[in-house]
Amino acid sequence: MSTLNRLINREAITSVAFITLGFVSLMLFFDIVDELQWIGKRGNNYQLRHALQFALLQVPNHIYELLPITVLIGTVFVMARLAESSEFTILRTSGLGPFRALRQLLGLGLMFSVIALAIGDYAAPAADRHAQMIKAKYQGLMTTGLTGAWLRERQDERNFTVNITNMAADSQMIGVRMFESDAKGNILVMTTAVSARFTDEDAWELKDVQVTRLSDLQSTPMRLEQLKNTNKLPDSLGADAGVKRSSYATLPWPTGISSEMVAAALLKPERMRTVDLYQYMSHLKANGQESQRFEIEFWRKLFYPLSCLVMVVLALPFAYLHFRSGGITGYVFLGVLIGISFYLLNNMFGFIGNISQWEPWIAASIPSLFYLLLSLSGFAWLVLRR
């Protein structure tokens, strides 16, 4: 059986690696073409070598996203080829029963799951962060939307709402606004800073700071909603409203908002590490902010590597099919369609679950559970009954 294990593992790993290389090469070509439009645009320093670096740094993320599909296509090809050449029939007569074959493929799928977890939790987030820093340095600043990123933190009886417009390549925050409010939502202090940086003492160091304190809230109550789309206080607030303004070159602000949380607000959550995603999700929930999207993405990060196990189980019934001459091509194409449908369904249920406010783990697990049921049904009908 050790010879059999080496045979199937060698064939499957070679096939999956070759198919993954083909898909990633195609995605790399598209990324390079897409980045060409930004070279030298508006006088920036973004050159061809920077575009190539950015495209290459997207490769780990492409491998992570495509691995379940390539595992399915690769194992389908191997199983179908073994069946077409009657090698699998010989293996069956030599004592390879259905459950032993299933156990063999599950071990292979577990190996691919570990690879997917390592890439998705370590290689892809680090590479994507470095890629974004390249764009921030040579093309401009990172930003999200028209108003930047919004974060919230509760400290004792006060609430702090923080707006960050951009982030520079050295992780320095540009255009920082903070609104301190009481339990009723009335603005007490508005702080603006040209820039801010993270320190080692769980604090931010604000630079070129303007602090505006509203000491007379009875005559001029203000809500946060009034300030979210403006960079200054309304003209109606003057000295008679009890406004006191102060300026500082630097000002420390103790906070639990880390650089990972700011990056999460500025970057895509699917590019984050699972631990960072969990911490950011917990931070949002603790401060009364909407966290549904990030909870779904957190559970998707947990379930996605396990989909490699589902894919190898789905490929096993192809070894028990009877092929005519040249019939293997159609079955491999069917494997491609199944893999693409899994990818689309996995993304679609993320949006549906977020809109419909489903339980995050349910929205994230439905695609994997559906294809697991499909693979086990195919195994039971084609392998056990036939």
Side-chain angles (χ1 to χ4, degrees), residues 151-155 158-162 179-180 253:
L151 302 106
R152 187 179 179 184
E153 184 176 48
R154 185 181 292 113
Q155 298 181 7
R158 300 293 176 88
N159 294 317
F160 290 85
T161 303
V162 185
F179 305 103
E180 181 182 347
W253 179 56

Side-chain angles (χ1 to χ4, degrees), residues 73-87:
I73 298 172
T75 49
V76 165
F77 175 77
V78 171
M79 293 295 103
R81 190 177 61 79
L82 290 175
E84 185 187 38
S85 62
S86 300
E87 291 180 73

Side-chain angles (χ1 to χ4, degrees), residues 8-9 12 70-71 86 97 122 178 187 205-206 246 249 264 273 275 280 284 286 309 318 325 333 353 362 367 373:
I8 295 180
N9 289 344
T70 57
V71 166
S86 300
Y122 297 98
M178 293 191 302
I187 299 297
E205 184 182 69
L206 308 177
S246 305
R273 294 193 309 158
V275 174
Y280 184 63
L284 293 177
L309 287 171
F318 286 85
S325 178
F333 181 70
I362 294 178
L373 180 62

Side-chain angles (χ1 to χ4, degrees), residues 77-255:
F77 175 77
V78 171
M79 293 295 103
R81 190 177 61 79
L82 290 175
E84 185 187 38
S85 62
S86 300
E87 291 180 73
F88 197 79
T89 302
I90 297 172
L91 294 175
R92 289 169 60 192
T93 58
S94 302
L96 181 63
F99 290 102
R100 179 171 288 181
L102 179 62
R103 187 168 63 248
Q104 166 69 26
L105 288 184
L106 284 177
L108 188 65
L110 182 61
M111 181 196 68
F112 285 121
S113 296
V114 173
I115 294 174
L117 180 63
I119 294 175
D121 234 32
Y122 297 98
D128 188 67
R129 179 73 64 87
H130 189 59
Q132 297 302 328
M133 290 301 105
I134 289 177
K135 275 205 167 184
K137 182 177 181 180
Y138 296 105
Q139 193 179 106
L141 299 172
M142 284 193 302
T143 185
T144 174
L146 298 176
T147 60
W150 290 88
L151 302 106
R152 187 179 179 184
E153 184 176 48
R154 185 181 292 113
Q155 298 181 7
D156 297 328
E157 299 298 323
R158 300 293 176 88
N159 294 317
F160 290 85
T161 303
V162 185
N163 175 233
I164 303 166
T165 306
N166 301 301
M167 180 178 282
D170 56 356
S171 297
Q172 182 176 233
M173 295 168 284
I174 308 298
V176 178
R177 293 187 294 164
M178 293 191 302
F179 305 103
E180 181 182 347
S181 59
D182 58 17
K184 297 180 180 179
N186 296 316
I187 299 297
L188 303 177
V189 181
M190 175 182 174
T191 304
T192 61
V194 175
S195 63
R197 68 178 183 88
F198 302 98
T199 64
D200 297 331
E201 293 79 20
D202 293 329
W204 292 4
E205 184 182 69
L206 308 177
K207 296 182 179 180
D208 298 327
V209 188
Q210 295 286 334
V211 179
T212 304
R213 293 179 174 85
L214 308 182
S215 58
D216 187 2
L217 295 177
Q218 298 295 329
S219 60
T220 314
M222 293 199 61
R223 295 282 182 172
L224 177 62
E225 290 77 8
Q226 297 175 254
L227 297 174
K228 276 196 173 183
N229 294 317
T230 180
N231 287 315
K232 61 181 181 179
L233 290 169
D235 295 335
S236 59
L237 289 179
D240 57 341
V243 176
K244 182 180 178 181
R245 294 182 173 88
S246 305
S247 300
Y248 304 90
T250 61
L251 184 69
W253 179 56
T255 177

Side-chain angles (χ1 to χ4, degrees), residues 280 284-285 287-295 354 357:
Y280 184 63
L284 293 177
K285 294 174 68 176
N287 290 278
Q289 291 181 271
E290 177 59 46
S291 62
Q292 177 79 3
R293 176 192 175 195
F294 297 93
E295 289 185 68
N354 191 24
Q357 294 295 302

